[in-house]
Amino acid sequence: MRKKFVAGNWKMHGNLATNDDLLQSVRAGVAGLAVEVAVCTPYPYLDQARKVLEGSNVAWGAQDVSEHVQGAYTGEVSAMMLGDFGCRYVIVGHSERRSYYGDTDAVVAAKFEAAMKAGLIPIFCVGETLDEREKNVTADVVTRQLDAVIARCGIASLAKAVVAYEPVWAIGTGRTASPEQAQEVHALIRDRVAREDAGVAAGLQILYGGSMKPGNAKELMAQTDIDGGLIGGAALVAADFIAICAAA
Ligand code: PGA
């Protein structure tokens, strides 16, 4: 039985004062829940997250990472640096990185590898745009994104990673994939992995992300292949995030 996992993606939100409230509330609100929980904060607040969350059942992580180990890459942050701040997770391949910052499948695979080599758990995002869904190429897109990581890092690497299916048209739009639509793609992801390694597929946590809220979390996470959520907007409201964790 796979454990449920709920991860918050704060994106570029927050400040020292509001973060403190949010982190303290989440720490207290999910204590004792039988669910894995993490928050992915902006880089400058990782130390704050560590200070507030250390010793709790909430892990923390970052929202992106450099594919390079070190060097002349102004503005970049390495996986080893994230490790220095106690990060357990890092999001790679979020659609906002793919679409605004040019992260290609190859770059995402390199970031995935860099994270793994530093001992971090990648939360590896895949998902189609609205245009791709309407053209009926969702399966092709998601398979292509997955295959880039499998080709570079090997199927066994997915035993130490988390996959997040985030249909781009559902992110921050209030438009959630129906439980059936999400389940269909989650099953496709698990089947793709199972073709290479049934054991890895059976243990793989596949999160759904895209306007998950307290009101729809339970129904989504009740699907056979939905093992939790990657939460954007609702992760900024302590009560909502805690309610989603409780639903898991
Ligand atoms: P959302 O974002 O929950 O605000 O749709 C999810 C994400 O982008 O990870």
Side-chain angles (χ1 to χ4, degrees), residues 9 11 94 166 170-172 210-211 230-233:
N9 173 10
K11 310 193 182 188
H94 190 279
E166 297 208 315
I171 296 177
S211 301
L230 180 55
I231 319 300

Side-chain angles (χ1 to χ4, degrees), residues 92-99 103 105 108 123-134 137-147 163-171 177 181-182 185-186 188-189 206-210 230:
V92 299
H94 190 279
S95 67
E96 286 150 21
R97 301 296 320 174
R98 291 179 188 265
S99 61
D103 283 13
D105 291 339
V108 172
I123 300 176
F124 165 42
C125 300
V126 298
E128 81 288 3
T129 62
L130 182 58
D131 185 51
E132 288 163 341
R133 175 158 283 264
E134 283 171 349
V137 292
T138 298
D140 300 335
V141 170
V142 169
T143 304
R144 190 200 72 219
Q145 292 170 336
L146 267 178
D147 284 355
V163 172
Y165 168 57
E166 297 208 315
V168 179
W169 47 273
I171 296 177
Q181 279 174 323
V185 182
H186 282 238
L188 177 150
I189 292 168
I206 310 176
L207 314 183
Y208 168 80
L230 180 55

